[in-house]
């Protein structure tokens, strides 16, 4: 079986690069997902996941994460957990439970504490500066408080054909306390079935949940569509439906992988990026063009783009 890993955004590249070494050796896809997402969670400059993630409107970092096993269909998920180092590991542990496998807020904190997961203050000084800047922008310039959010979502298949999915996010910047998006919600932020394939989403959770978009893509793949066709069809249809019924659609971006190791992506925004590694592809970052004539297109990120990204995420946060 051809092992493959696909993830939302450029931020996943270091994680999937590292985890791909395990997949190459024949390790379990679920462990590769956990390893890769932990690396994203631990890196302080990724401001929408884990340590350094952007806070809610009360300046508290509330994190959501989920894990799904494509063989057993076991799911573990947490919403609004505070001050634990690796939400993905807590979600993966929860997936071993028969009951109570989706915990939120204080319940999630208590579980993580009881299971001995590491506590860390997840609010960095840099995230606090982002918060202060956004407060000013919102008041002075009338900018949307909710712009600036991303989720790391991944699907992997290992040499034994086992598939797994994982997500981790700080959700919408400036969200209300207690707000949970699509990322920990099965069928919306992620879904995987080793007999078919999997998908994971990033974008405006409130809209992604209206289409159960990840499950919809897996359903289309079950009907025989290639992941690229399934992703394009599902994104196009949800985007159009939201515009028709509500006048507008939020950001919708998707990665999908089937159980043959074939993958696809779709997006209704400019600027979506994703990361892929497989038995026959070195770790690669791609830049997407938004869906046009029913098709999403993408190009390999150039060296210049990658360097500019690196610079941008570490640049000082200035107030004007
Ligand atoms: N989908 C996430 C949420 O709504 C955010 C994102 O992926 O950009 O919480």
């Amino acid at each position: 079986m051809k092992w493959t890993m696909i993830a939302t955004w450029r931020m996943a590249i270091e994680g999937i690069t590292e985890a791909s070494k395990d997949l190459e050796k024949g390790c379990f896809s679920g462990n590769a997902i956990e390893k890769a997402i932990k690396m994203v969670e631990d890196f302080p400059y990724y401001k929408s996941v884990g340590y350094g993630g952007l806070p809610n409107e009360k300046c508290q970092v509330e994190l959501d994460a989920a894990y799904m096993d494509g063989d057993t269909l076991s799911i573990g998920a947490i919403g609004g957990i505070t001050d634990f180092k690796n939400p993905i590991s807590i979600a993966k542990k929860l997936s071993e439970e028969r009951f109570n496998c989706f915990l939120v807020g204080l319940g999630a904190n208590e579980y993580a504490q009881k299971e001995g997961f590491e506590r860390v203050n997840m609010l960095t000084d840099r995230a606090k500066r982002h918060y202060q800047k956004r407060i000013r922008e919102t008041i002075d310039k009338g900018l949307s408080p909710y712009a600036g959010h991303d989720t790391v979502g991944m699907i992997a298949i290992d040499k034994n054909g086992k598939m797994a999915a994982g997500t981790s996010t700080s959700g919408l910047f400036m969200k209300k306390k207690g707000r949970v998006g699509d990322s920990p919600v099965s069928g919306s932020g992620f879904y995987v079935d080793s007999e078919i394939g999997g998908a994971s989403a990033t974008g405006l959770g409130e809209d992604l949940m209206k289409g159960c978009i990840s499950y919809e893509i897996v359903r289309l793949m079950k009907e025989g569509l290639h992941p690229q066709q399934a992703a394009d069809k599902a994104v196009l249809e949800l985007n159009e439906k939201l515009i028709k019924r509500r006048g507008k659609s939020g950001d919708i971006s998707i990665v999908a992988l089937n159980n043959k190791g074939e993958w696809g992506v779709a997006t209704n925004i400019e600027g979506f990026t994703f990361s892929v590694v497989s038995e026959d592809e070195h770790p690669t970052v791609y830049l997407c063009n938004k869906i046009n004539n029913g098709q999403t297109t993408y190009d390999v990120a150039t060296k210049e783009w990658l360097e500019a990204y690196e610079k941008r995420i570490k640049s000082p946060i200035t107030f004007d």
Side-chain angles (χ1 to χ4, degrees):
M1 188 66 69
K2 187 175 106 171
W3 61 265
T4 307
M5 213 171 185
I6 185 164
T8 55
W9 304 112
R10 144 70 185 84
M11 65 176 146
I13 196 71
E14 293 87 2
I16 68 165
T17 301
E18 215 34 51
S20 68
K21 297 174 192 160
D22 296 343
L23 289 176
E24 176 62 50
K25 285 185 214 143
C27 295
F28 172 45
S29 54
N31 292 342
I33 291 265
E34 182 185 8
K35 181 183 248 187
I37 293 185
K38 274 172 86 171
M39 282 186 67
V40 186
E41 289 175 340
D42 290 345
F43 190 64
Y45 289 100
Y46 295 145
K47 60 183 169 62
S48 56
V49 175
Y51 184 64
L54 293 175
N56 65 15
E57 64 171 8
K58 299 251 162 54
C59 204
Q60 299 158 330
V61 181
E62 292 181 316
L63 302 170
D64 305 333
Y67 170 84
M68 183 167 185
D69 181 308
D71 276 13
T72 60
L73 307 180
S74 294
I75 293 170
I78 49 174
I81 199 164
T82 48
D83 293 334
F84 280 91
K85 190 164 183 256
N86 290 117
I88 186 62
S89 301
I90 302 165
K92 186 162 182 284
K93 178 80 187 152
L94 270 169
S95 73
E96 294 165 16
E97 304 285 335
R98 172 75 179 93
F99 302 105
N100 305 300
C101 52
F102 189 169
L103 297 176
V104 299
L106 286 180
N109 279 20
E110 274 173 28
Y111 172 84
Q113 182 80 27
K114 193 176 99 275
E115 292 296 327
F117 284 98
E118 193 177 340
R119 286 214 85 132
V120 169
N121 173 9
M122 299 298 267
L123 182 65
T124 60
D125 288 344
R126 190 174 170 85
K128 244 188 266 174
R129 263 184 91 73
H130 274 297
Y131 173 85
Q132 286 152 356
K133 185 173 182 190
R134 183 56 55 89
I135 294 264
R136 288 207 207 168
E137 286 170 345
T138 315
I139 297 166
D140 300 349
K141 299 187 196 157
L143 290 179
S144 162
Y146 300 125
H149 50 83
D150 294 334
T151 298
V152 63
M154 286 185 193
I155 313 291
I157 182 163
D158 62 32
K159 280 188 175 171
N160 298 312
K162 285 176 182 287
M163 297 191 75
T167 60
S168 186
T169 188
S170 51
L172 287 193
F173 186 17
M174 292 287 178
K175 64 190 179 183
K176 296 273 178 223
K177 187 178 170 67
R179 179 265 185 195
V180 176
D182 61 301
S183 309
V185 177
S186 163
S188 288
F190 65 93
Y191 195 81
V192 65
D193 178 339
S194 301
E195 291 183 3
I196 308 164
S200 186
T202 178
L204 183 64
E206 283 73 2
D207 279 359
L208 295 164
M209 287 191 277
K210 293 182 176 86
C212 299
I213 187 89
S214 293
Y215 185 80
E216 175 62 6
I217 290 169
V218 175
R219 192 189 68 74
L220 290 167
M221 291 195 289
K222 187 179 177 193
E223 283 183 3
L225 267 63
H226 184 279
Q228 185 56 50
Q229 291 173 312
D232 274 331
K233 187 169 162 55
V235 169
L236 192 70
E237 284 181 4
L238 181 57
N239 185 59
E240 282 178 354
K241 190 192 266 192
L242 292 170
I243 292 171
K244 184 165 160 241
R245 308 250 197 117
R246 305 172 57 81
K248 59 177 178 246
S249 167
D251 294 1
I252 304 172
S253 302
I254 288 289
V255 294
L257 175 70
N258 69 14
N259 68 352
K260 292 183 218 148
E262 297 165 334
W263 52 263
V265 297
T267 182
N268 69 348
I269 60 163
E270 292 299 345
F272 176 56
T273 59
F274 63 98
S275 305
V276 182
V277 61
S278 77
E279 202 162 304
D280 28 60
E281 179 167 9
H282 290 299
T284 309
V285 175
Y286 290 91
L287 260 56
C288 275
N289 306 303
K290 77 172 175 189
I291 199 160
N292 187 14
N293 287 329
Q295 269 186 322
T296 302
T297 52
Y298 47 82
D299 303 291
V300 173
T302 60
K303 197 165 155 272
E304 291 70 36
W305 186 92
L306 291 168
E307 283 167 6
Y309 173 91
E310 194 82 27
K311 224 168 130 191
R312 189 171 70 244
I313 63 165
K314 292 184 180 163
S315 65
I317 302 151
T318 53
F319 294 76
D320 25 67

